[in-house]
Amino acid sequence: MNLQKLKMLSQQLIESPVFRGIEAEEMELIIEKIQYRIRKYKKGDMVAFREDRCENLMIVLKGSVKGEMLDPSGKTIKIEDIMAPYPIASAFLFGQKNQFPVNVTANADVEIFFLDKQSVIDLFQDNKTFLVNYLNSISNRSQFLAQKLLFLSFKTIKGKLANFILKQAAPDKEKIDLPKSQAEMAQFFGVTRPSFARSLKEMEQEGMIEVNRREIKILNRQDLMRLMQQ
């Protein structure tokens, strides 16, 4: 690898959570010692299938991917988007059943850095910063997945919406802004856009919320909490 490419890759990696805090010069030395590869994918390409063996630390260098799974009815539920420079399924590299928990698909043209499992173990031994970062990363992913499972446990769209709104608002806020369009939110919820829009409208008609484009104002917090229990 020429010097310019080495410096570029080093800069991309130190922005990733698992390498954060490592100086660029040190990262360049690490890159020169490890065995890695970089793969490119086109939009819509399957990066990994659910239950494929997870044998590499994978970091998105460019673009983004999405993790999706099928619910018992066969509907596709998007679990999350993973943007550069974040790792993919880092929590599943180790363990007795180290398999991908979801299908991973390229959202756009993507470049992904692959570092094999043994090299990851060697880096654990050689670099404390990397070790601590990695442990923090998988802990954060575990917390995210726990929250996602709680979210999916709600039986109705309104229950999911109520949980989402209250979580975003916390105890001290009366207004929130939806982070995505209704179409994207519907995909996140695993429902059709008309179903999502209808549930939002019904909650507004029932006096629980007030909707102004992406802004949602909470009018009745108790009724939202009751929806979560249905």
Side-chain angles (χ1 to χ4, degrees):
M1 176 180 290
N2 64 43
L3 184 59
Q4 184 178 0
K5 288 184 177 180
L6 176 63
K7 289 185 178 297
M8 183 181 298
L9 178 57
S10 172
Q11 189 59 46
Q12 288 174 302
L13 290 176
I14 61 176
E15 291 175 1
S16 177
V18 293
F19 288 112
R20 192 166 293 153
I22 295 177
E23 297 294 333
E25 293 79 6
E26 183 180 3
M27 191 72 243
E28 290 173 17
L29 293 175
I30 291 173
I31 293 171
E32 290 179 330
K33 292 179 181 178
I34 60 177
Q35 295 294 320
Y36 68 90
R37 62 188 185 280
I38 297 173
R39 290 184 178 176
K40 297 181 180 181
Y41 299 86
K42 297 291 186 182
K43 180 179 180 180
D45 284 353
M46 189 67 69
V47 176
F49 287 95
R50 181 176 179 270
E51 296 188 352
D52 279 354
R53 293 274 295 178
C54 183
E55 298 178 320
N56 296 272
L57 169 60
M58 300 164 61
I59 299 174
V60 182
L61 297 178
K62 175 185 175 183
S64 71
V65 301
K66 59 184 174 182
E68 296 178 319
M69 64 185 300
L70 297 178
D71 72 6
S73 70
K75 291 181 181 178
T76 299
I77 300 175
K78 183 165 75 172
I79 303 301
E80 65 172 330
D81 288 311
I82 302 173
M83 315 290 291
Y86 285 85
I88 302 171
S90 55
F92 296 89
L93 183 56
F94 298 95
Q96 292 182 339
K97 192 176 180 181
N98 56 319
Q99 298 173 320
F100 284 90
V102 296
N103 294 327
V104 181
T105 309
N107 281 325
D109 289 351
V110 175
E111 291 184 9
I112 298 177
F113 173 90
F114 288 78
L115 184 63
D116 70 84
K117 185 175 180 178
Q118 185 57 53
S119 294
V120 173
I121 294 171
D122 292 342
L123 273 178
F124 286 159
Q125 297 173 323
D126 295 340
N127 195 295
K128 182 179 179 180
T129 300
F130 175 74
L131 172 60
V132 173
N133 284 345
Y134 197 97
L135 292 174
N136 284 334
S137 175
I138 61 175
S139 179
N140 291 339
R141 302 315 301 152
S142 297
Q143 293 168 25
F144 169 82
L145 291 172
Q147 289 297 318
K148 189 69 177 185
L149 287 173
L150 174 63
F151 174 76
L152 294 175
S153 71
F154 295 108
K155 298 178 180 178
T156 67
I157 301 174
K158 289 182 181 179
K160 292 178 181 180
L161 262 168
N163 173 72
F164 181 85
I165 291 169
L166 291 175
K167 183 180 176 182
Q168 295 294 312
D172 58 339
K173 295 172 64 177
E174 293 184 354
K175 294 181 181 180
I176 69 163
D177 290 316
L178 293 179
K180 303 177 181 180
S181 68
Q182 286 198 10
E184 292 172 317
M185 291 297 297
Q187 186 179 29
F188 176 75
F189 277 46
V191 300
T192 64
R193 185 185 181 282
S195 296
F196 178 87
R198 184 169 56 251
S199 296
L200 202 62
K201 187 65 176 178
E202 288 175 359
M203 292 167 68
E204 184 174 28
Q205 291 172 342
E206 292 164 9
M208 300 179 191
I209 58 175
E210 181 180 295
V211 182
N212 182 14
R213 296 186 179 180
R214 289 195 181 189
E215 183 184 86
I216 296 178
K217 181 179 180 181
I218 297 174
L219 301 179
N220 192 320
R221 192 176 290 266
Q222 292 301 316
D223 278 355
L224 290 176
M225 294 178 67
R226 277 193 285 271
L227 275 181
M228 293 169 57
Q229 300 168 5
Q230 294 178 359

